[in-house]
Amino acid sequence: MDTGSEPMGTGGHHGSGDPVGPALLWLQDTVMTVTLQACKMVLQGALLLCALGLLLLTTIFLYGSFYYSYMPLATYSSPVHYYCNFPSLLLPHCLRLSPEEWQEPGDDIQPALSDLPGSGDARVASQSGMFMVKISCYSRQGQPVTYSARSTMLRYRSGLLQTADQRQLVEVELFSQYREDSYAPSIGAIIEIQSQRVQIYSAQLYIHAHFTGIRYFLYNFLTLSAVMGLASIFFFLSVLLFFSYLRLIWGLAGMDESEDTEHLQDDQDDTTAESDEVFSEGEDTASKRSTMRRCRSWRTFLMMIQWSVRRQSSWVQLAGHQGNFQLSEGGEVLKRFSEVEAVCLQALMVDPLRPFVPQYHGSVTRGGNSYIRLEDLLSGLKNPVIMDCKMGVRTYQEEELTKSHTKPTLRTDMYQKMVKVDPTAPTVEEHEQRGVTKWRYLQWRDNTSSTSTLGFRIEGIMMENGSVKRDFKKMLTPAQVTEALLSFTKSHLHILKAYHSRLQALDEALKESPFFKSHEMIGSSLLFVHDWTSKASIWMIDFGKTIPSPSSVQLRHNVPWAEGNREDGYLIGLAALTSFVDQAISQAACIQEENHGEETDSVTHTLQEQEHTQTKSQGEVAQNEGCLHSAESLAKSQTLRATRNAKRFDGFQRALDLKNIYTDPDLVSQNIRAILSRKTFMDAVVKIIEENIPEVIL
Ligand SMILES: Nc1ncnc2c1ncn2[C@@H]1O[C@H](COP(=O)(O)OP(=O)(O)OP(=O)(O)O)[C@@H](O)[C@H]1O
Ligand SMILES: O=P(O)(O)O[C@@H]1[C@H](O)[C@H](O)[C@@H](OP(=O)(O)O)[C@H](OP(=O)(O)O)[C@H]1O
């Protein structure tokens, strides 16, 4: 589609023809954009780091909890309390262990008894010989579970070692492998030393776990398993977080199975060929469908990522009914279906106005609602700046007026909106009813804004940093509009000029358009869109209240409305807008010129400037001189008016108060911007003071 966009500045020769001003502005923009981007990136980076840190901590906590709850102690030791079974000198020793401590289910354990027989001399050791150690495990009910008996002996020690420590540590493996019966777990054991000669000082029971499966891996490959465990938990949590994020940013709720099916049906036309190519003759429809669905879910997934990125970058609904729009794949927006609008868009696709209208792709059903598919006008723009201007001298259809007479329906919401802006706006009767008709509200909106007088009104502006301003309900005067245009474009000449020529092109296209001739354009908007790197363009949107005019009526679009003439005043608005952009261009050019002048002054190279001026073309010189001259005289007369303003001149003290003169409402309403930092204004102020209060001048 022909975008019909006007390219922005081409490297510095704007307005004044002097490359320094635009270059500086461009530099200023670039620096600002880069700074903004850098701040955004730093903030995003910090947030990402925080999220990653939190994720890592959660991962470590989860893995640690898992490890300590899943892994039993590898070695457990317990003191053995024993008693002597005199006179046989059999020494059964009892110990009580809880089943959990005893072992972990499913793993083998190896209980071993370490005795410290306190054989006082070598004689005892030599006489005791081999002896038996027996362990009998019992259950909670006291029933024997299992037993094991092992023989062992003390080492021989020479009688010559009289002074040496005679103690010996004897280690006996009681079970080489013990597997717990989980239905009758052992909770304790009796250990008997079957000897009459061995003397025991103390004994200790050791239980060593023999891990198998995951526990074996976790125990023997501690680092590797930790790395693997942490990595998998981290990955799992990241995926979870990613999907939650996706769901959060554009509500996956709508993209359920039914939508998938609808989507499948919607795209049946384009997928048929695809299906024919992909599937063989023999495959049945059901399997084709299921395979297609699988492909679709992958496509949907990829699109989800794509939308997420796009959505983050630009899309915004500046005006209109909330909830009317959805983002769609492939640079489209879905707008709630309206038969009237769909018919208009269909007709516009074959009209000379087509380059000014978003591409219309038919309709689609999502989640039970129908939508029209429109080209996303913000697609591809980086940090777009947009403005929505509602066109025409009225925003209500004549039917609304008729309805308000014949079948008035009171709207409380509109009454409330009215009161919020101006509590005195409703009549006494309306206050009593706490409601107004839609026509009454829309008419009031038109009269309190610039719609009735200028033929358009600004609905909203979004700047490149995403800040949105919708507070234009009471914007009435040309000065306010020009001011808004200057602030919307940041007084950039190249953007203003691009808009100007786009408006002129639109005017031409409207003259040629059969659609325009035969339609009453009510509530339609012009969407101004630009960014600092790409293009500036203006688009016609919102045809929900655009209806064919009766065949008996020949619409002119540039005459005031009177009941029955069906005129919308679209061209009145367009002409006004074009002239305001023109005015904004002049002001921006003067500002640029003055800025340039100030820079030149500060370097004080008059000769160079003269030389430079000589090289300019005659036309440019004339334009600049005119601009400077008019700026000076304008400044002088404006400041004169301002300073003569009684509220600023203190006759008693003979002092002039210039505080907040820039935002002085009296001056602003007359489109006067007294910028004292500008040389021309300051010169004018000094001159006026010189003439009127000479004693002030030193
Ligand atoms: N094709 C588009 N591409 C990008 N943004 C769009 C597009 N169409 C509309 N918008 C955005 O949505 C906003 C509202 O659009 P539109 O005026 O069509 O909605 P609406 O609900 O019909 O409005 P109204 O309530 O004024 O009739 C616009 O201000 C603009 O920000
Ligand atoms: O801008 P405001 O002050 O919020 O007022 C709305 C605006 O005029 C819309 O254009 C209009 O929708 P239509 O264009 O569809 O008439 C809507 O009427 P509604 O509430 O009946 O939708 C108004 O409430």
Side-chain angles (χ1 to χ4, degrees):
M1 177 180 174
D2 176 13
T3 59
S5 312
E6 288 295 328
M8 287 185 185
T10 50
H13 291 271
H14 307 294
S16 65
D18 188 341
V20 181
L24 269 174
L25 284 171
W26 174 84
L27 196 70
Q28 202 180 344
D29 275 346
T30 316
V31 170
M32 206 186 77
T33 316
V34 169
T35 317
L36 272 173
Q37 288 285 54
C39 288
K40 210 167 136 187
M41 275 170 71
V42 167
L43 197 74
Q44 281 175 348
L47 280 174
L48 194 74
L49 275 180
C50 282
L52 282 178
L54 210 69
L55 213 66
L56 205 68
L57 280 177
T58 317
T59 305
I60 292 170
F61 172 75
L62 284 178
Y63 183 77
S65 315
F66 160 76
Y67 188 88
Y68 285 103
S69 63
Y70 187 66
M71 284 299 287
L73 281 177
T75 300
Y76 175 78
S77 74
S78 164
V80 177
H81 308 288
Y82 59 95
Y83 63 90
C84 237
N85 197 3
F86 188 82
S88 65
L89 271 183
L90 283 178
L91 303 169
H93 308 279
C94 299
L95 76 158
R96 304 250 176 252
L97 299 168
S98 70
E100 293 84 353
E101 286 169 323
W102 184 245
Q103 72 158 22
E104 285 291 323
D107 284 313
D108 296 332
I109 53 166
Q110 185 187 22
L113 180 70
S114 302
D115 291 338
L116 281 175
S119 49
D121 52 43
R123 189 173 42 82
V124 176
S126 66
Q127 282 172 3
S128 61
M130 191 178 260
F131 61 94
M132 294 292 289
V133 182
K134 184 185 170 189
I135 180 166
S136 311
C137 304
Y138 56 85
S139 68
R140 192 173 294 280
Q141 290 77 29
Q143 301 294 320
V145 176
T146 183
Y147 77 92
S148 165
R150 297 286 162 95
S151 63
T152 188
M153 63 187 295
L154 296 177
R155 288 186 304 281
Y156 169 75
R157 290 212 173 178
S158 165
L160 294 172
L161 299 168
Q162 288 296 331
T163 53
D165 188 358
Q166 293 291 316
R167 278 188 304 173
Q168 283 190 32
L169 179 76
V170 179
E171 222 171 81
V172 186
E173 187 190 66
L174 296 172
F175 284 104
S176 53
Q177 214 167 44
Y178 176 85
R179 189 170 280 274
E180 180 83 288
D181 176 359
S182 49
Y183 293 105
S186 309
I187 61 140
I190 294 170
I191 300 161
E192 294 171 50
I193 310 296
Q194 296 176 342
S195 166
Q196 293 183 343
R197 297 181 188 279
V198 178
Q199 296 169 21
I200 301 170
Y201 289 154
S202 72
Q204 199 81 16
L205 181 80
Y206 291 99
I207 302 168
H208 302 284
H210 280 270
F211 296 122
T212 55
I214 296 177
R215 285 194 178 102
Y216 175 83
F217 185 69
L218 287 175
Y219 183 71
N220 290 295
F221 304 94
L222 189 69
T223 319
L224 185 65
S225 60
V227 170
M228 281 174 66
L230 288 171
S232 18
I233 296 175
F234 190 83
F235 175 74
F236 177 73
L237 287 180
S238 310
V239 170
L240 214 70
L241 214 71
F242 177 67
F243 276 104
S244 316
Y245 172 70
L246 285 186
R247 201 184 164 88
L248 184 83
I249 55 172
W250 52 195
L252 272 181
M255 303 187 60
D256 54 11
E257 188 63 18
S258 67
E259 270 186 23
D260 218 281
T261 318
E262 275 163 19
H263 192 74
L264 196 69
Q265 283 163 357
D266 296 334
D267 287 3
Q268 204 84 43
D269 290 347
D270 22 303
T271 55
T272 317
E274 193 186 334
S275 323
D276 288 349
E277 270 175 39
V278 174
F279 299 111
S280 65
E281 290 281 314
E283 274 182 283
D284 62 67
T285 324
S287 77
K288 279 182 187 181
R289 266 181 176 281
S290 82
T291 314
M292 278 303 287
R293 191 170 300 207
R294 274 203 302 279
C295 297
R296 294 230 157 254
S297 29
W298 275 107
R299 259 172 59 174
T300 310
F301 174 74
L302 290 175
M303 273 160 193
M304 275 155 48
I305 294 167
Q306 193 188 332
W307 297 341
S308 153
V309 172
R310 269 197 318 117
R311 185 169 192 146
Q312 272 185 344
S313 64
S314 61
W315 207 85
V316 70
Q317 183 188 338
L318 198 51
H321 294 87
Q322 291 307 308
N324 253 8
F325 285 88
Q326 269 196 29
L327 260 188
S328 177
E329 62 269 36
E332 283 182 11
V333 288
L334 304 182
K335 183 177 175 184
R336 195 60 73 91
F337 185 82
S338 136
E339 184 67 40
V340 173
E341 186 156 30
V343 169
C344 286
L345 286 163
Q346 191 74 55
L348 282 164
M349 288 302 101
V350 289
D351 190 88
L353 285 175
R354 184 180 169 155
F356 296 88
V357 179
Q359 192 75 260
Y360 170 60
H361 300 290
S363 59
V364 67
T365 308
R366 282 274 169 91
N369 295 316
S370 296
Y371 295 90
I372 51 178
R373 292 165 58 190
L374 289 173
E375 175 193 357
D376 177 4
L377 302 171
L378 307 185
S379 172
L381 294 184
K382 222 169 163 229
N383 304 327
V385 184
I386 55 179
M387 176 171 77
D388 185 311
C389 283
K390 203 167 251 203
M391 301 301 291
V393 289
R394 64 188 163 103
T395 59
Y396 51 87
Q397 292 170 318
E398 288 201 4
E399 285 67 30
E400 209 62 66
L401 174 60
T402 320
K403 211 175 119 192
S404 78
H405 294 320
T406 55
K407 223 171 66 184
T409 312
L410 292 180
R411 294 271 302 259
T412 318
D413 59 325
M414 288 185 160
Y415 165 79
Q416 277 161 357
K417 281 201 276 185
M418 204 171 181
V419 170
K420 202 171 166 193
V421 177
D422 181 3
T424 62
T427 60
V428 177
E429 194 187 356
E430 285 164 348
H431 270 307
E432 276 166 12
Q433 293 166 336
R434 300 189 67 75
V436 291
T437 62
K438 180 167 176 176
W439 171 76
R440 160 81 170 113
Y441 174 75
L442 295 184
Q443 195 211 32
W444 170 78
R445 280 280 278 121
D446 294 350
N447 291 339
T448 47
S449 66
S450 57
T451 291
S452 301
T453 50
L454 304 178
F456 73 92
R457 71 169 174 247
I458 298 177
E459 286 279 283
I461 289 179
M462 187 188 84
M463 298 307 284
E464 77 274 16
N465 61 1
S467 62
V468 175
K469 196 166 184 275
R470 295 194 179 92
D471 180 24
F472 299 103
K473 285 196 167 72
K474 283 180 160 177
M475 182 181 271
L476 261 169
T477 66
Q480 288 170 322
V481 175
T482 313
E483 184 64 31
L485 283 173
L486 283 170
S487 111
F488 166 62
T489 55
K490 293 200 171 160
S491 303
H492 285 296
L493 264 178
H494 52 301
I495 298 169
L496 282 163
K497 283 183 174 177
Y499 280 142
H500 193 264
S501 46
R502 180 77 168 159
L503 285 171
Q504 284 176 327
L506 174 64
D507 190 45
E508 292 300 314
L510 286 169
K511 281 182 193 141
E512 302 299 315
S513 165
F515 178 89
F516 189 59
K517 282 190 182 80
S518 59
H519 282 76
E520 196 181 327
M521 308 266 292
I522 303 296
S524 180
S525 287
L526 285 182
L527 194 69
F528 288 62
V529 180
H530 68 264
D531 71 5
W532 304 113
T533 55
S534 175
K535 296 178 170 183
S537 196
I538 300 174
W539 301 92
M540 293 172 80
I541 58 164
D542 196 359
F543 305 98
K545 292 202 287 192
T546 297
I547 48 168
S549 52
S551 52
S552 56
V553 176
Q554 191 67 40
L555 287 178
R556 289 161 63 192
H557 300 285
N558 59 358
V559 289
W561 173 74
E563 193 174 349
N565 77 357
R566 297 268 166 182
E567 288 293 351
D568 51 28
Y570 196 98
L571 288 180
I572 297 178
L574 189 67
L577 245 178
T578 314
S579 86
F580 291 131
V581 173
D582 210 19
Q583 277 180 32
I585 289 175
S586 307
Q587 292 200 19
C590 288
I591 292 169
Q592 196 169 308
E593 193 59 34
E594 280 175 28
N595 287 343
H596 177 58
E598 276 171 24
E599 281 157 27
T600 320
D601 280 354
S602 67
V603 191
T604 59
H605 49 37
T606 325
L607 277 173
Q608 277 176 1
E609 197 187 33
Q610 274 172 1
E611 243 172 62
H612 178 67
T613 314
Q614 277 164 14
T615 59
K616 285 182 183 172
S617 71
Q618 285 291 341
E620 280 175 324
V621 173
Q623 187 192 340
N624 293 337
E625 277 177 357
C627 186
L628 276 171
H629 188 259
S630 68
E632 260 169 39
S633 57
L634 188 76
K636 192 174 170 180
S637 65
Q638 287 169 356
T639 321
L640 188 63
R641 263 187 281 167
T643 49
R644 282 201 183 137
N645 189 334
K647 73 178 181 187
R648 292 205 168 264
F649 184 63
D650 184 339
F652 181 69
Q653 293 191 14
R654 299 195 60 73
L656 195 61
D657 178 14
L658 295 177
K659 206 167 74 193
N660 297 333
I661 196 165
Y662 182 76
T663 51
D664 189 309
D666 293 344
L667 299 176
V668 170
S669 67
Q670 294 174 63
N671 196 20
I672 298 169
R673 286 298 194 188
I675 305 166
L676 290 175
S677 60
R678 282 208 198 120
K679 191 175 175 299
T680 44
F681 278 96
M682 212 50 231
D683 285 350
V685 170
V686 172
K687 230 178 186 138
I688 293 160
I689 296 173
E690 237 171 30
E691 284 166 12
N692 296 279
I693 333 170
E695 63 269 34
V696 174
I697 304 293
L698 295 173

Short mmCIF file of all heavy atoms in Angstrom, two decimals, residues 555-590:
data_model
loop_
_atom_site.label_atom_id
_atom_site.label_comp_id
_atom_site.label_asym_id
_atom_site.label_seq_id
_atom_site.Cartn_x
_atom_site.Cartn_y
_atom_site.Cartn_z
N LEU A 555 -23.57 17.29 -0.95
CA LEU A 555 -22.73 17.78 0.16
C LEU A 555 -21.57 18.63 -0.35
O LEU A 555 -20.95 18.32 -1.36
CB LEU A 555 -22.18 16.60 0.96
CG LEU A 555 -23.18 15.87 1.84
CD1 LEU A 555 -22.50 14.71 2.54
CD2 LEU A 555 -23.76 16.80 2.89
N ARG A 556 -21.26 19.70 0.40
CA ARG A 556 -20.13 20.56 0.03
C ARG A 556 -19.01 20.45 1.08
O ARG A 556 -17.86 20.77 0.80
CB ARG A 556 -20.60 22.00 -0.11
CG ARG A 556 -21.46 22.16 -1.36
CD ARG A 556 -22.31 23.41 -1.30
NE ARG A 556 -21.48 24.61 -1.26
CZ ARG A 556 -21.95 25.83 -0.97
NH1 ARG A 556 -23.23 25.97 -0.69
NH2 ARG A 556 -21.16 26.87 -0.96
N HIS A 557 -19.33 20.06 2.25
CA HIS A 557 -18.36 19.84 3.34
C HIS A 557 -17.66 21.10 3.83
O HIS A 557 -16.86 21.03 4.74
CB HIS A 557 -17.28 18.82 2.95
CG HIS A 557 -17.80 17.47 2.60
ND1 HIS A 557 -18.24 16.57 3.53
CD2 HIS A 557 -17.95 16.86 1.40
CE1 HIS A 557 -18.63 15.46 2.92
NE2 HIS A 557 -18.47 15.61 1.63
N ASN A 558 -17.90 22.24 3.18
CA ASN A 558 -17.18 23.45 3.62
C ASN A 558 -18.14 24.59 4.00
O ASN A 558 -17.74 25.75 4.03
CB ASN A 558 -16.20 23.93 2.56
CG ASN A 558 -16.89 24.25 1.25
OD1 ASN A 558 -18.11 24.07 1.13
ND2 ASN A 558 -16.13 24.71 0.27
N VAL A 559 -19.37 24.22 4.25
CA VAL A 559 -20.34 25.24 4.69
C VAL A 559 -20.89 24.86 6.06
O VAL A 559 -20.86 23.67 6.43
CB VAL A 559 -21.52 25.37 3.68
CG1 VAL A 559 -21.06 26.00 2.39
CG2 VAL A 559 -22.17 24.01 3.43
N PRO A 560 -21.34 25.83 6.83
CA PRO A 560 -21.81 25.50 8.17
C PRO A 560 -23.01 24.56 8.13
O PRO A 560 -23.74 24.49 7.14
CB PRO A 560 -22.21 26.86 8.76
CG PRO A 560 -21.58 27.87 7.89
CD PRO A 560 -21.41 27.27 6.54
N TRP A 561 -23.19 23.88 9.22
CA TRP A 561 -24.31 22.93 9.32
C TRP A 561 -25.57 23.67 9.75
O TRP A 561 -25.54 24.59 10.56
CB TRP A 561 -23.99 21.85 10.35
CG TRP A 561 -25.17 20.95 10.62
CD1 TRP A 561 -25.67 19.99 9.81
CD2 TRP A 561 -25.99 20.94 11.79
NE1 TRP A 561 -26.74 19.37 10.38
CE2 TRP A 561 -26.97 19.94 11.61
CE3 TRP A 561 -26.02 21.68 12.98
CZ2 TRP A 561 -27.95 19.65 12.56
CZ3 TRP A 561 -26.99 21.39 13.93
CH2 TRP A 561 -27.94 20.39 13.72
N ALA A 562 -26.68 23.26 9.14
CA ALA A 562 -28.00 23.70 9.60
C ALA A 562 -28.86 22.45 9.52
O ALA A 562 -28.66 21.61 8.63
CB ALA A 562 -28.55 24.77 8.70
N GLU A 563 -29.77 22.33 10.45
CA GLU A 563 -30.54 21.08 10.50
C GLU A 563 -31.16 20.77 9.14
O GLU A 563 -31.82 21.61 8.53
CB GLU A 563 -31.63 21.19 11.57
CG GLU A 563 -32.22 19.82 11.86
CD GLU A 563 -33.21 19.84 13.02
OE1 GLU A 563 -33.28 20.85 13.72
OE2 GLU A 563 -33.87 18.81 13.19
N GLY A 564 -30.88 19.59 8.66
CA GLY A 564 -31.45 19.14 7.39
C GLY A 564 -30.47 19.24 6.23
O GLY A 564 -30.62 18.52 5.25
N ASN A 565 -29.43 20.11 6.35
CA ASN A 565 -28.52 20.21 5.19
C ASN A 565 -27.44 19.13 5.19
O ASN A 565 -26.69 18.98 4.24
CB ASN A 565 -27.92 21.62 5.07
CG ASN A 565 -26.80 21.88 6.07
OD1 ASN A 565 -26.47 21.04 6.91
ND2 ASN A 565 -26.21 23.06 5.99
N ARG A 566 -27.34 18.40 6.28
CA ARG A 566 -26.45 17.23 6.37
C ARG A 566 -24.95 17.58 6.30
O ARG A 566 -24.11 16.68 6.28
CB ARG A 566 -26.75 16.21 5.26
CG ARG A 566 -28.12 15.60 5.32
CD ARG A 566 -28.08 14.34 6.13
NE ARG A 566 -29.41 13.88 6.49
CZ ARG A 566 -29.66 12.82 7.22
NH1 ARG A 566 -28.66 12.09 7.66
NH2 ARG A 566 -30.87 12.47 7.53
N GLU A 567 -24.64 18.84 6.23
CA GLU A 567 -23.22 19.21 6.10
C GLU A 567 -22.44 18.84 7.36
O GLU A 567 -22.95 18.97 8.47
CB GLU A 567 -23.10 20.72 5.83
CG GLU A 567 -23.55 21.15 4.46
CD GLU A 567 -22.66 20.63 3.35
OE1 GLU A 567 -21.58 20.08 3.62
OE2 GLU A 567 -23.07 20.77 2.17
N ASP A 568 -21.21 18.38 7.14
CA ASP A 568 -20.39 17.97 8.29
C ASP A 568 -19.27 18.96 8.61
O ASP A 568 -18.67 18.93 9.68
CB ASP A 568 -19.79 16.58 8.05
CG ASP A 568 -19.08 16.48 6.72
OD1 ASP A 568 -18.58 17.50 6.23
OD2 ASP A 568 -19.03 15.37 6.15
N GLY A 569 -18.97 19.83 7.63
CA GLY A 569 -17.91 20.81 7.87
C GLY A 569 -16.52 20.21 7.90
O GLY A 569 -15.59 20.80 8.47
N TYR A 570 -16.37 19.05 7.25
CA TYR A 570 -15.05 18.38 7.26
C TYR A 570 -13.97 19.28 6.65
O TYR A 570 -12.87 19.40 7.20
CB TYR A 570 -15.16 17.07 6.47
CG TYR A 570 -14.03 16.10 6.71
CD1 TYR A 570 -14.16 15.04 7.62
CD2 TYR A 570 -12.82 16.22 6.04
CE1 TYR A 570 -13.13 14.15 7.85
CE2 TYR A 570 -11.78 15.33 6.26
CZ TYR A 570 -11.94 14.30 7.16
OH TYR A 570 -10.91 13.41 7.40
N LEU A 571 -14.34 19.92 5.52
CA LEU A 571 -13.32 20.75 4.84
C LEU A 571 -13.03 22.04 5.61
O LEU A 571 -11.94 22.59 5.50
CB LEU A 571 -13.78 21.07 3.41
CG LEU A 571 -13.74 19.88 2.45
CD1 LEU A 571 -14.20 20.27 1.07
CD2 LEU A 571 -12.35 19.25 2.39
N ILE A 572 -14.00 22.47 6.41
CA ILE A 572 -13.74 23.65 7.25
C ILE A 572 -12.63 23.29 8.23
O ILE A 572 -11.66 24.02 8.42
CB ILE A 572 -15.03 24.07 8.03
CG1 ILE A 572 -16.11 24.49 7.05
CG2 ILE A 572 -14.72 25.17 9.04
CD1 ILE A 572 -17.43 24.88 7.70
N GLY A 573 -12.78 22.12 8.82
CA GLY A 573 -11.78 21.64 9.78
C GLY A 573 -10.43 21.44 9.12
O GLY A 573 -9.39 21.81 9.67
N LEU A 574 -10.45 20.86 7.93
CA LEU A 574 -9.19 20.58 7.24
C LEU A 574 -8.46 21.87 6.89
O LEU A 574 -7.25 21.99 7.09
CB LEU A 574 -9.46 19.75 5.97
CG LEU A 574 -8.23 19.20 5.29
CD1 LEU A 574 -7.55 18.16 6.16
CD2 LEU A 574 -8.58 18.59 3.94
N ALA A 575 -9.24 22.84 6.41
CA ALA A 575 -8.63 24.13 6.05
C ALA A 575 -8.05 24.80 7.30
O ALA A 575 -6.93 25.33 7.27
CB ALA A 575 -9.67 25.03 5.40
N ALA A 576 -8.80 24.74 8.40
CA ALA A 576 -8.33 25.36 9.64
C ALA A 576 -7.06 24.67 10.12
O ALA A 576 -6.06 25.33 10.45
CB ALA A 576 -9.42 25.27 10.70
N LEU A 577 -7.10 23.35 10.09
CA LEU A 577 -5.92 22.59 10.55
C LEU A 577 -4.70 22.95 9.71
O LEU A 577 -3.61 23.19 10.24
CB LEU A 577 -6.21 21.10 10.39
CG LEU A 577 -6.29 20.27 11.65
CD1 LEU A 577 -6.64 18.84 11.34
CD2 LEU A 577 -5.00 20.33 12.45
N THR A 578 -4.92 23.01 8.38
CA THR A 578 -3.80 23.31 7.49
C THR A 578 -3.23 24.69 7.82
O THR A 578 -2.02 24.87 7.87
CB THR A 578 -4.26 23.26 6.01
OG1 THR A 578 -5.04 22.08 5.83
CG2 THR A 578 -3.10 23.25 5.05
N SER A 579 -4.14 25.65 8.07
CA SER A 579 -3.63 27.00 8.35
C SER A 579 -2.92 27.04 9.71
O SER A 579 -1.95 27.76 9.89
CB SER A 579 -4.74 28.03 8.25
OG SER A 579 -5.41 28.13 9.47
N PHE A 580 -3.39 26.23 10.66
CA PHE A 580 -2.69 26.22 11.97
C PHE A 580 -1.31 25.58 11.84
O PHE A 580 -0.36 26.04 12.48
CB PHE A 580 -3.52 25.50 13.03
CG PHE A 580 -4.76 26.26 13.40
CD1 PHE A 580 -6.00 25.64 13.43
CD2 PHE A 580 -4.70 27.61 13.69
CE1 PHE A 580 -7.14 26.34 13.74
CE2 PHE A 580 -5.84 28.33 14.01
CZ PHE A 580 -7.07 27.69 14.03
N VAL A 581 -1.24 24.56 11.02
CA VAL A 581 0.08 23.94 10.82
C VAL A 581 0.99 24.96 10.14
O VAL A 581 2.17 25.09 10.48
CB VAL A 581 -0.04 22.63 9.99
CG1 VAL A 581 1.32 22.08 9.64
CG2 VAL A 581 -0.84 21.59 10.75
N ASP A 582 0.40 25.72 9.21
CA ASP A 582 1.14 26.77 8.53
C ASP A 582 1.67 27.80 9.53
O ASP A 582 2.85 28.18 9.50
CB ASP A 582 0.18 27.45 7.54
CG ASP A 582 0.93 27.99 6.35
OD1 ASP A 582 2.06 27.54 6.12
OD2 ASP A 582 0.38 28.87 5.66
N GLN A 583 0.79 28.22 10.42
CA GLN A 583 1.19 29.19 11.45
C GLN A 583 2.29 28.62 12.34
O GLN A 583 3.25 29.30 12.70
CB GLN A 583 0.00 29.54 12.35
CG GLN A 583 -0.89 30.60 11.75
CD GLN A 583 -2.05 30.92 12.67
OE1 GLN A 583 -1.92 30.84 13.88
NE2 GLN A 583 -3.19 31.24 12.08
N ALA A 584 2.09 27.35 12.68
CA ALA A 584 3.09 26.69 13.53
C ALA A 584 4.43 26.66 12.81
O ALA A 584 5.49 26.84 13.44
CB ALA A 584 2.63 25.28 13.88
N ILE A 585 4.39 26.45 11.49
CA ILE A 585 5.64 26.43 10.71
C ILE A 585 6.32 27.80 10.82
O ILE A 585 7.53 27.88 11.08
CB ILE A 585 5.36 26.05 9.23
CG1 ILE A 585 4.98 24.57 9.15
CG2 ILE A 585 6.56 26.34 8.35
CD1 ILE A 585 4.56 24.10 7.78
N SER A 586 5.52 28.86 10.64
CA SER A 586 6.11 30.21 10.72
C SER A 586 6.73 30.44 12.09
O SER A 586 7.87 30.93 12.21
CB SER A 586 5.05 31.29 10.50
OG SER A 586 4.38 31.05 9.33
N GLN A 587 5.99 30.08 13.12
CA GLN A 587 6.51 30.30 14.47
C GLN A 587 7.76 29.47 14.73
O GLN A 587 8.72 29.95 15.31
CB GLN A 587 5.44 29.97 15.51
CG GLN A 587 4.30 30.96 15.45
CD GLN A 587 3.48 30.96 16.74
OE1 GLN A 587 3.94 30.49 17.77
NE2 GLN A 587 2.29 31.49 16.65
N ALA A 588 7.70 28.23 14.25
CA ALA A 588 8.86 27.35 14.47
C ALA A 588 10.06 27.90 13.72
O ALA A 588 11.19 27.86 14.22
CB ALA A 588 8.53 25.94 14.02
N ALA A 589 9.80 28.44 12.51
CA ALA A 589 10.91 29.00 11.72
C ALA A 589 11.51 30.19 12.44
O ALA A 589 12.74 30.35 12.50
CB ALA A 589 10.40 29.41 10.34
N CYS A 590 10.63 31.03 13.01
CA CYS A 590 11.14 32.21 13.74
C CYS A 590 11.93 31.79 14.97
O CYS A 590 13.00 32.34 15.24
CB CYS A 590 9.97 33.10 14.16
SG CYS A 590 9.25 33.95 12.76
#
